[in-house]
Amino acid sequence: MAGVPQLRIERFPGRPADGVEEVLFLRVPSDPGLIDPAVELLISACGERGRIGRQSQFRLRVSIAEAISNAIECGNQCDPTKQVAVQADLLTDWIRIAVTDEGTGFDPAEVPDPTTPERLENPCGRGLLIIRHLAERVGFNDKGNTIWMTLPRR
């Protein structure tokens, strides 16, 4: 496809002392049209070295899509000069995903509850709510421009 950036996974050796078998890295330009191709590329790469269960694959796909979408749209404001960095640490039983944008960050505690009646029509905060329900663990860096998600591999 002419004019579409090529997405490419970089692979690095794991850190056996930390239980990490392999590390995958992907840079995604801040183009919402690249969210689905990036997610599918990551899911495929995560599953190459060991089976990912069907439910885990679903949870992983939705969590990564929501995190990349938030990074592109909220963090990077769809600025084509900015990118989103995605790192996947593949452990024996877990996949730990870090998604980092080039934005100013945010305070996750300040994100309003999207399930309150007055916020049901507002999409703000839904992605984070979904991620928190699907991932076993969720964390953020101090700046608020990186989210870490840990999900089961099987």
Side-chain angles (χ1 to χ4, degrees):
M1 294 184 284
V4 176
Q6 181 66 31
L7 297 174
R8 184 175 58 87
I9 295 280
E10 295 179 67
R11 296 176 178 275
F12 299 95
R15 299 174 304 278
D18 296 332
V20 178
E21 298 173 351
E22 184 176 29
V23 177
L24 308 175
F25 190 78
L26 174 66
R27 287 201 179 278
V28 183
S30 290
D31 176 353
L34 294 174
I35 296 169
D36 287 340
V39 170
E40 293 310 315
L41 185 61
L42 277 164
I43 295 295
S44 176
C46 286
E48 284 177 8
R49 305 266 170 151
R51 189 176 169 287
I52 297 177
R54 187 174 170 167
Q55 183 178 9
S56 292
Q57 193 176 85
F58 169 80
R59 292 169 66 184
L60 190 61
R61 178 175 278 115
V62 173
S63 296
I64 293 171
E66 291 294 338
I68 293 174
S69 175
N70 284 348
I72 288 173
E73 295 175 7
C74 301
N76 289 349
Q77 303 290 303
C78 295
D79 181 340
T81 66
K82 295 181 178 181
Q83 295 188 333
V84 173
V86 183
Q87 178 175 318
D89 293 343
L90 306 181
L91 293 86
T92 303
D93 295 323
W94 301 95
I95 298 175
R96 187 173 46 232
I97 305 287
V99 177
T100 303
D101 61 59
E102 295 182 56
T104 58
F106 76 109
D107 181 352
E110 296 294 319
V111 175
D113 180 357
T115 64
T116 60
E118 65 275 6
R119 302 213 41 94
L120 289 177
E121 299 291 324
N122 187 335
C124 181
R126 288 185 194 162
L128 194 51
L129 177 77
I130 291 168
I131 291 169
R132 285 182 166 147
H133 277 71
L134 294 176
E136 294 293 321
R137 279 174 253 143
V138 177
F140 301 88
N141 67 349
D142 289 339
K143 182 178 177 181
N145 72 327
T146 298
I147 182 172
W148 291 285
M149 307 169 289
T150 304
L151 294 106
R153 200 162 174 181
R154 303 202 189 329

